[in-house]
């Protein structure tokens, strides 16, 4: 069975009491795309029209349910592609891995910081091997919080022989594929690897490799068992992006992904793809809880402009032009190289005023009332589909949410 986002929204609108509930049922579709579907369904007649109008209004009349950061960890940063699991998901995945590895087999964790913390709570730290990136603040925080686990660089995983593992890489092929290859090399023959990837209606710019072509990237893997659906926390940067796009009633756990199991069944290793190159961003200390990344190469010498962007996608034009980006999705364009370097070095002067302006923007409400598109659409456009994502997606034979 195939379904478009418009089909899913039409089916779920009548069943959903509010926008939060609706957006959590749309198979990972961006809530702004869900709202655009509602605006088009509001042009139809009958029960679906009434439901669409009610839910579209509810999207802007509620309030943002911003979650507290995961205790002990740096805040998620959009340029890191860092989304973390909803409460209860880490424990469920770990128990699944322990069923495979037993009480003594090694379990390899990659790009899943909340699972490392959950393993400590479940007294499993002695079994855990954590794949890390040197210099990564999240990895460094985990070393301090869970010292009983083993931490290895991604390039040190070959021959580890873990009985089971899981990876939830950033959902872009060029970033995800090299990381997944290295994690595969750390799993023993007959071991199980769980790979997290985007859900069926997540935007088309997201990686397909983690859910579709893992066996092409690593011939020693074969699909096994059931695919499950996992749910994620809404990080602060995503909450503010949705508010900037006109959605005030932001759900705390709307995003879903697919968790697919594979068995390591071969021994031939392909040539490893290179890890994603340095993008030029440098993280600098901040006086606030927000994390600040700078890129001096994009300083244009023009007067700095500071905005809260309504996108979390790597396809955003701001990813090319921004010279500063915070974990609250505040972006600076412009500034001079000298100003950026002063911020990076922590020097006082004119640049310190820029830091204050960035932090001030982080602290301000960023919701913007959305201009309804209902009156701008002609009835002939009722056949609209999700232009920001795959137009059709095949549903898996068996799906359960964990």
């Amino acid at each position: 069975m195939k379904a478009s986002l418009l089909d899913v929204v039409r089916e779920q609108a009548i069943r959903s009491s509010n926008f939060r509930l609706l957006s959590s049922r749309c198979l990972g579709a961006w809530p702004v795309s869900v709202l655009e579907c509602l605006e088009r369904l509001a042009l139809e007649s009958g029960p679906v029209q009434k439901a669409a109008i009610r839910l579209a209004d509810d999207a802007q009349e509620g309030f943002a349910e911003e979650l507290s950061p995961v205790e002990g960890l740096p805040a998620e940063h959009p340029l890191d592609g860092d989304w973390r699991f909803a409460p209860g998901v880490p424990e469920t995945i770990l128990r699944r891995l322990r069923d495979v590895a037993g009480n003594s087999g090694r379990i390899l964790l990659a790009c899943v910081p909340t699972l490392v913390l959950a393993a400590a709570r479940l007294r499993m730290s002695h079994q855990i091997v954590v794949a890390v990136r040197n210099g990564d603040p999240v990895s460094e925080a985990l070393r301090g919080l869970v010292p009983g686990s083993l931490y290895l660089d991604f390039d040190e995983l070959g021959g580890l022989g873990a009985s089971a593992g899981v990876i939830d890489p950033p959902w872009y092929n060029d970033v995800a594929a090299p990381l997944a290859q290295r994690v595969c090399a750390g799993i023993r023959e007959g071991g199980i690897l769980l790979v997290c990837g985007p859900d069926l209606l997540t935007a088309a710019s997201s990686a397909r490799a983690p859910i579709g072509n893992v066996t092409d990237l690593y011939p020693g893997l074969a699909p096994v068992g059931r695919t499950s659906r996992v749910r994620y926390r809404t990080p602060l940067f995503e909450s503010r992006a949705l508010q900037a796009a006109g959605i005030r009633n932001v759900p705390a756990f709307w995003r879903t992904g697919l968790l697919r199991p594979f068995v390591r069944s071969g021994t031939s290793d392909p040539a490893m793809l290179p890890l994603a190159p340095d993008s030029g961003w440098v993280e600098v200390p901040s006086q606030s809880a927000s994390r600040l990344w700078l890129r001096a190469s994009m300083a244009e010498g023009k007067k700095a402009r500071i905005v809260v962007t309504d996108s979390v996608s790597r396809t955003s034009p701001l990813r090319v032009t921004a010279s500063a980006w915070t974990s609250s999705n505040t972006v600076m364009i412009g500034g001079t190289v000298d100003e950026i370097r002063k911020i990076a070095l922590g020097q006082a002067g004119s640049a310190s005023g820029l830091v204050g302006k960035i932090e001030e923007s982080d602290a301000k409400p960023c919701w913007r009332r959305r201009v309804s598109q209902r009156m701008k659409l002609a009835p002939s456009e009722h056949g609209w589909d999700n232009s920001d994502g795959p137009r059709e997606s095949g549903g898996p034979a068996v799906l359960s949410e964990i």
Side-chain angles (χ1 to χ4, degrees), residues 117-137:
L117 299 179
R121 294 193 295 269
L122 294 174
R123 301 181 183 277
M124 294 173 57
S125 297
H126 64 286
Q127 293 182 256
I128 301 301
V129 179
V130 186
V132 297
R133 299 171 296 167
N134 287 329
D136 171 46

Side-chain angles (χ1 to χ4, degrees), residues 22-77:
L22 172 65
S23 59
S24 70
R25 292 173 169 177
C26 289
L27 307 181
W30 182 235
V32 176
S33 298
V34 175
L35 180 53
E36 289 170 350
C37 283
L38 290 173
E39 291 173 340
R40 284 154 176 81
L41 291 174
L43 298 173
E44 297 188 0
S45 59
V48 70
Q49 181 189 44
K50 294 181 180 179
I53 293 173
R54 171 177 55 82
L55 292 168
D57 289 341
D58 182 65
Q60 300 187 72
E61 297 303 327
F63 60 92
E65 184 180 349
E66 294 180 357
L67 299 173
S68 300
V70 176
E71 186 174 355
L73 293 182
E76 303 96 321
H77 198 289

Side-chain angles (χ1 to χ4, degrees), residues 131-146:
V132 297
R133 299 171 296 167
N134 287 329
D136 171 46
V138 177
S139 299
E140 294 306 310
L142 288 173
R143 290 179 190 268
L145 293 168
V146 190

